Each structure stands twice: as structure tokens, then as C-alpha cells.
Amino acid sequence: LYLALDRPAEAVPLFERAVAQAGDAAGWADWLRYGAALDRAGRWKEARAALERARTLRPDEPIVLNYLGYAMVEHGESGARAMLEQAVRLKPDDAAIADSLGWALFRGGEVARALPLIERAAQAEPDSVEIAEHLGDVYWASGRRFEARYAWTAARQTAEPAVAERLTTKIADGL
């Protein structure tokens, strides 16, 4: 509930207690939720450790690979692409995973390789604000300014206020 209300700092001690009480019985999903709460609370170092624990418990779980890989990209760490490529192999039709790999490629300067992945993700999840914003960013970097603004405008329709403000700036000024 705290995560849904965007109050991750309040969720952290609850997940921490749940993992501690479960001890060795804590599963990969418990560690994933705990790591996600830590990450969203701005505690990346601790989040990374919890997410790595989830990955140790379930090394071939696409959800874990996707969350950890995407978070590593967002935090500017290396090594995420191989993890995301593995997640795509394990779950090739998952839009969020395709977007994550595309975003990692884009952030690594491989715009042409990123574009089809993010386009595919946007077709599969047309209501995703994050995927639509990523699509706009990749279009912009590809020189497709009109399509970039269209993607950002679509994303802005259902975005939270802070994200909508960022998208408005992109629509006006580009990247």
C-alpha cells in the first residue's frame, strides 16, 4: 500500500521486518519487493544488495533480471545489458523487459538497436507513460522530432504531475 501511495520510505521497514522474520525462508519475491522499496526510497546501495539476493535465489527469473538491470542502467552502472538480454530471452513477449533492454541500448549509445525494441514495447503497452517517454527520447535521438513530440504528448496524457511537467519541457525543447 505504501508503494502504491508513493511512500516507499514507509514501506522499507515493513519489508525489512518481513525478510528478517522469514530468515532463510525469505524467497526471491520477498527480496525483490524489499529491494524495490529501498530503490524507490533512494537507498540504492542497500537496494542493490537486496536485489542481488533475489537474483541469487532465482537467477533465471525475468522479473528480477529486469528490475535489477533497469535499476543499474538508471544508476549509471555497467553490466546491466547482459542481464536484460537474458531476461528478454526468458520472456521475449514482455513489453517492460523489451523496453528495459532498449533503454539500456539507448543509454549506451546504440540508438538504432534500441528503436525496434522500444517501438515493440510501445505497441504492446500503449498506456505506459514510461515506455512512451522512452520512445519519444529514442525518436528524438534518431532525428524523428515530430514522432518524438507525438510520443511525449501521448505519455503526458496520463502522467503524474512531475512527469507531465518533464514531458511538457521535452515537447517544447526536445532533449
Side-chain angles (χ1 to χ4, degrees):
L1 183 60
Y2 282 131
L3 289 178
L5 295 170
D6 198 27
R7 294 165 48 186
E10 294 172 74
V12 167
L14 300 175
F15 286 119
E16 184 175 34
R17 189 171 343 133
V19 167
Q21 286 177 349
D24 290 340
W28 68 269
D30 301 317
W31 285 99
L32 176 63
R33 285 189 287 271
Y34 179 41
L38 286 163
D39 183 35
R40 290 183 54 195
R43 295 167 58 181
W44 172 239
K45 186 177 178 181
E46 295 165 274
R48 172 104 196 249
L51 295 167
E52 286 289 359
R53 174 66 186 218
R55 183 177 174 210
T56 298
L57 291 169
R58 185 71 68 90
D60 290 330
E61 175 54 53
I63 296 168
V64 172
L65 295 168
N66 184 53
Y67 193 100
L68 178 56
Y70 185 82
M72 288 170 64
V73 169
E74 288 298 292
H75 292 283
E77 295 187 11
S78 61
R81 193 161 95 190
M83 200 178 310
L84 293 168
E85 287 170 344
Q86 181 184 4
V88 167
R89 282 192 300 277
L90 292 166
K91 201 166 183 185
D93 295 328
D94 189 290
I97 294 172
D99 173 68
S100 294
L101 177 57
W103 191 241
L105 291 167
F106 172 72
R107 297 279 297 265
E110 297 184 57
V111 177
R113 287 189 61 209
L115 184 57
L117 286 164
I118 296 179
E119 283 179 325
R120 187 180 85 207
Q123 286 175 342
E125 295 284 337
D127 295 337
S128 171
V129 171
E130 184 173 35
I131 293 173
E133 182 176 9
H134 289 170
L135 181 61
D137 291 2
V138 174
Y139 277 153
W140 187 272
S142 300
R144 295 165 66 174
R145 306 300 200 240
F146 179 80
E147 291 161 291
R149 286 189 169 101
Y150 182 85
W152 291 328
T153 300
R156 185 178 60 183
Q157 301 312 306
T158 56
E160 296 294 322
V163 175
E165 186 176 323
R166 180 177 68 237
L167 289 165
T168 298
T169 300
K170 286 182 178 184
I171 292 164
D173 303 330
L175 292 179

